[in-house]
Amino acid sequence: GAVTQQQFVFDEPLLLFKQRQARVGAADLNVTAERAHVDETLSARRLQVSQAFATLLSRQQQLAVVHDSLTDLQRVEGVVRGRAEAGERSEYDVARIETETERVHVEMMNAEADVDDAAGQLATLLGFPGWSPRANGNLDPNQGVPTDVETLWATAQQRRPSLVAIRQ
C-alpha cells in the first residue's frame, strides 16, 4: 500500500593522486589573494584620507596667509586714509586701497569656503559627515622618504598593496 517512494543520493568525490592537497593549496592561495585585495582596498582608503588631510592642511595655511594679507592691507588703508585727511594723499589713492582691501576680503571668503569644503570631505571619508575637523601639522615633503628610484621601487614592491595583490 505505499503510494510514494523516497530516494536519497549521497555523492562523495574520491580524491586521488593528491587532488585534496591541490584543492587545499588552491584554497589557501585564494584566501591569501583575497587578503591582499582587502589590504589594497584599505590602503586606497588610507590614501584618500591622507590626501584629504593634506588638502585641508594646505587650505588652512592658504587661509592664514590671506588673513594676514588682509590684516596688513587694513592697516595700510588706515594709514592712507589718515594721509588723505591730512592732504598728503588723494581720494584716488584711498579708493585704490579700498578696492584692493575688498578684493582680498573676497579672496579670504573664498579661502574660508575652500577650508570648509576640504573639512567636509575629510569628515565624510572618516564617516562623520556633520563634523568640521581642523588639521594640525606641516606639509614638509622631506620626511625621511628616499628619492632614489631603485630604493623606491624595491619598497613599493614589498609594501604597495596593489603590487602585492597582483603578485599573489
Side-chain angles (χ1 to χ4, degrees), residues 49-166:
V49 169
S50 66
Q51 287 174 339
F53 176 80
T55 300
L56 176 59
L57 187 58
S58 69
R59 290 194 177 160
Q60 285 178 178
Q61 290 177 356
Q62 289 171 356
L63 176 62
V65 168
V66 172
H67 183 269
D68 292 344
S69 298
L70 182 62
T71 303
D72 292 342
L73 271 175
Q74 287 172 340
R75 277 195 302 253
V76 169
E77 183 180 347
V79 170
V80 170
R81 278 186 195 278
R83 287 189 173 181
E85 289 172 1
E88 292 181 21
R89 293 284 179 202
S90 66
E91 289 298 318
Y92 174 73
D93 291 332
V94 173
R96 266 185 27 201
I97 196 70
E98 285 176 347
T99 303
E100 185 64 21
T101 303
E102 284 304 312
R103 185 193 65 78
V104 173
H105 183 68
V106 168
E107 190 176 328
M108 188 176 90
M109 291 188 322
N110 288 336
E112 288 172 345
D114 288 344
V115 167
D116 290 341
D117 180 52
Q121 288 179 1
L122 178 61
T124 301
L125 281 173
L126 293 174
F128 303 108
W131 182 42
S132 182
R134 294 291 173 233
N136 292 325
N138 61 8
L139 293 173
D140 184 19
N142 300 324
Q143 295 180 353
V145 177
T147 57
D148 179 39
V149 175
E150 297 299 325
T151 306
L152 288 172
W153 179 245
T155 304
Q157 285 179 326
Q158 296 300 318
R159 291 187 178 173
R160 180 120 177 123
S162 59
L163 295 176
V164 172
I166 289 170

Side-chain angles (χ1 to χ4, degrees), residues 36-52 125 159-162:
H37 286 295
V38 168
D39 289 343
E40 179 185 8
T41 303
L42 291 175
S43 177
R45 179 54 63 109
R46 280 192 298 269
L47 178 63
Q48 287 177 336
V49 169
S50 66
Q51 287 174 339
L125 281 173
R159 291 187 178 173
R160 180 120 177 123
S162 59

Side-chain angles (χ1 to χ4, degrees), residues 14-31:
L14 185 58
L15 302 175
L16 299 173
F17 309 113
K18 299 186 180 183
Q19 288 179 343
R20 184 176 189 289
Q21 290 91 353
R23 287 185 180 184
V24 168
D28 288 340
L29 289 175
N30 285 336
V31 167

